[in-house]
Structures are given as C-alpha cells and as structure tokens.
Amino acid sequence: MVLMTAPDRAAAETLATSLIGERLAACANLVPGLVSHYWWGTKLDRADEVLILIKTRADRVPELIARAAELHPYDVPEVLAFEVEAGFEPYVNWVRDETCPRTRC
C-alpha cells in the first residue's frame, strides 16, 4: 500500500491513471477533502489536498516511487509505502496479477 497526496483532483487523476496504465499500481483510490498542516522551510503552512491510496506489489514499490516523483507536480511529494500483512486472497491475487509487467507474466 502506498499513500500519496496531490494538490487537487486533476493531479490525483493524472497520477493514478499513469501509475495504473504503466502497471505500477492495480488500483488507486482518490480521497478528496484532505487538509494538510506542515512546516515548509520556516513557515507553518496548510493545503487542501487529495489523498491517493495505491495498491501494488512490494517488488514494484521502488519503481512506483521513482515514477510518482517524476510525474508529481510537487518538488517534494509525499509518497510513503506500507507493507500489507494480510488481505482477502482473491483481492491480493488480483493486485499481484494486475501489477505484473505483461512481458514477465
């Protein structure tokens, strides 16, 4: 599972469809209405954002992170990966199958 934020719905849609289209992700859920508070340099800042929940395989995470950083409009995008310990087996299998590059499956 990878979490990423985007500045708006259009950017989130572009990121999600690109990562899915490149088979780096099987699914991406867009969660609007996120409000982020953070330090940027010496300033306390706030931004309305969209949270993207991305499902992928562990072995695709490094490539997904690199590609997300290339595509993202932020200079320092939030892209965090978490290991999934368990899940509904048919869904986990679907994620595995959909994120396997077609040349290797």
Side-chain angles (χ1 to χ4, degrees):
M1 173 74 71
V2 177
L3 304 180
M4 180 169 42
T5 55
D8 54 43
R9 177 123 189 159
E13 293 275 355
T14 298
L15 289 160
T17 57
S18 295
L19 296 172
I20 293 167
E22 295 175 26
R23 297 231 175 244
L24 294 170
C27 175
N29 305 108
L30 308 185
V31 184
L34 184 71
V35 178
S36 296
H37 296 264
Y38 54 92
W39 283 104
W40 191 249
T42 59
K43 181 182 174 203
L44 185 58
D45 212 341
R46 175 197 181 284
D48 294 323
E49 296 182 300
V50 175
L51 177 64
I52 310 170
L53 305 173
I54 304 166
K55 278 63 124 209
T56 192
R57 298 158 42 128
D59 64 341
R60 301 303 307 258
V61 168
E63 190 178 356
L64 184 150
I65 291 172
R67 185 66 175 134
E70 289 174 2
L71 297 170
H72 208 287
Y74 290 166
D75 291 334
V76 183
E78 174 185 2
V79 186
L80 302 170
F82 299 89
E83 187 173 344
V84 174
E85 293 183 23
F88 182 55
E89 189 172 345
Y91 184 81
V92 172
N93 291 340
W94 174 79
V95 169
R96 184 194 65 235
D97 293 345
E98 294 305 318
T99 54
C100 187
R102 293 299 179 212
T103 57
R104 290 190 293 172
C105 293

